[in-house]
Amino acid sequence: METTMQKYFHWGAIGSLVALIVLCVLWEMVLAPLKPGGSWLVLKAAPLLLPLYGVWKRDIYTLQWTSMMILLYFTEGVVRGWSDTGGLSSALAWGEAAVVCIYFVCALLYLRPYKRAARKLAKELLDKVKVNTVK
C-alpha cells in the first residue's frame, strides 16, 4: 500500500524525468545548441525515453537503475555548467543538474519503504535459516 508521500515522490520522479527530457531537447535544438540550427547532441535525450514507461508504472527495478543512470546527466550538467562560456548554456547545464537531483531524491524516497521491507524479509529469512540449521 502506497502512502500519500510515496505518491508525491512518484509524481515528482515522473515530472522531473519528463522535464529533463524536454530540457535536453530544447537545450540542444533551440535554446543554446552547440552548432546553429541544432546538434546531434540532442540524442542524449533518447536514453531517457526508455525508462519513462517503467517509472510511470512504478516498476521498482526501473526506478533503481534509472537512479544510477541519471547520474551521468548530473555529471554532464556540472561539467558543462563550469566549462561552458555562454551564459544561457551554463544556466541550462546547472538546471539540468538540479532536475537530476530532484529525480534522484524522489526516486530514492519512493523506493525507501520497499527497501526496508526487503531488508526486514531477508533478516527474517536468515533468522529462520539459522534456527533450522542449529537444531
Side-chain angles (χ1 to χ4, degrees):
M1 175 100 186
E2 269 189 13
T3 64
T4 304
M5 289 306 292
Q6 272 188 293
K7 290 180 183 178
Y8 291 138
F9 294 136
H10 176 245
W11 283 107
I14 292 170
S16 58
L17 185 59
V18 169
L20 185 60
I21 292 168
V22 170
L23 175 70
C24 289
V25 170
L26 288 177
W27 180 6
E28 299 302 339
M29 290 301 292
V30 179
L31 299 175
L34 288 176
K35 295 180 181 179
S39 69
W40 283 97
L41 201 54
V42 74
L43 293 176
K44 72 180 178 184
L48 295 172
L49 295 172
L50 297 174
L52 192 56
Y53 181 75
V55 172
W56 179 269
K57 291 295 184 179
R58 296 177 173 89
D59 183 40
I60 293 171
Y61 183 71
T62 302
L63 282 157
Q64 287 175 334
W65 69 261
T66 55
S67 66
M68 293 291 104
M69 185 233 2
I70 204 97
L71 296 177
L72 295 170
Y73 292 87
F74 176 78
T75 304
E76 184 213 11
V78 170
V79 168
R80 288 188 69 182
W82 280 107
S83 64
D84 279 2
T85 55
L88 180 60
S89 183
S90 179
L92 290 169
W94 288 115
E96 178 184 34
V99 171
V100 167
C101 288
I102 292 168
Y103 178 83
F104 186 76
V105 168
C106 286
L108 289 184
L109 291 176
Y110 178 80
L111 292 170
R112 178 189 277 176
Y114 296 108
K115 298 301 267 182
R116 284 184 181 163
R119 196 176 308 124
K120 181 181 175 186
L121 189 62
K123 185 182 180 317
E124 289 173 0
L125 182 62
L126 285 174
D127 290 342
K128 188 176 182 179
V129 169
K130 286 179 186 176
V131 169
N132 289 338
T133 57
V134 171
K135 291 182 181 179

